[in-house]
Amino acid sequence: MHSITLRFLASHSAPSASGRIHGGTVLRWMDEAGFACACAWAGGNCVTALMGNASFERPIHPGDLVEVQARLAHTGETSMNMLIEVRSGGIQEKELREVTHCVAVYAALDEDSRPRAVDKFTPETPGDMALAERVNAQVEAARQPFAPVH
């Protein structure tokens, strides 16, 4: 499986003092979707190696319908690069709106918690190829060290 979509209602027990869902909660949902997609592709346990470039466009409120989609874009020897997107809206709205997205990398682990090989993912459509190129560029940018602040 090279994508997974989780859909649920945002819990009324999870809001911040402002009545919005905490960004950390949204990031946890994103990691859960990415982890599920990675484990399904790898056929076993995985670990999060990187999550980067998340930028929040709008808040999620308790009771909103939330959709978290993780899509595999590229595989390395033991790793999987993904795009994870979050959309939300009122339960009766026709379309959900983008909340945030990020790139993530997961590594497959063997029984001894050492990296293990994963099956190769080959993008087949022009859209999948463009996605792989974009995600790989963002992963490389996220891995660059920060420049010192003077």
Side-chain angles (χ1 to χ4, degrees):
M1 175 185 322
H2 74 278
S3 72
I4 191 167
T5 302
L6 308 177
R7 295 188 101 198
F8 52 90
L9 294 177
S11 172
H12 286 283
S13 64
S16 66
S18 67
R20 300 172 177 181
I21 302 299
H22 290 279
T25 299
V26 178
L27 291 172
R28 186 185 79 235
W29 296 337
M30 295 171 82
D31 190 36
E32 288 171 353
F35 179 76
C37 187
C39 289
W41 183 263
N45 197 27
C46 294
V47 65
T48 307
L50 179 142
M51 285 188 80
N53 299 341
S55 173
F56 291 86
E57 304 295 323
R58 54 184 295 280
I60 297 175
H61 298 283
D64 280 356
L65 179 63
V66 178
E67 180 178 274
V68 185
Q69 182 180 42
R71 290 188 286 165
L72 181 62
H74 174 81
T75 53
E77 181 78 20
T78 63
S79 63
M80 296 151 282
N81 295 0
M82 296 192 191
L83 174 66
I84 305 173
E85 300 171 297
V86 179
R87 290 177 283 285
S88 75
I91 192 74
Q92 296 182 357
E93 291 181 27
K94 293 184 184 212
E95 288 190 32
L96 301 179
R97 295 175 289 163
E98 183 175 348
V99 171
T100 187
H101 64 274
C102 77
V103 295
V105 178
Y106 294 86
L109 301 177
D110 66 15
E111 301 79 28
D112 297 319
S113 295
R114 290 187 305 246
R116 66 174 177 82
V118 296
D119 290 339
K120 182 171 178 55
F121 172 72
T122 304
E124 295 177 357
T125 67
D128 285 346
M129 291 175 204
L131 177 67
E133 191 173 305
R134 192 172 87 232
V135 168
N136 291 341
Q138 288 183 19
V139 166
E140 285 308 311
R143 286 186 169 152
Q144 297 302 314
F146 289 103
V149 178
H150 296 249

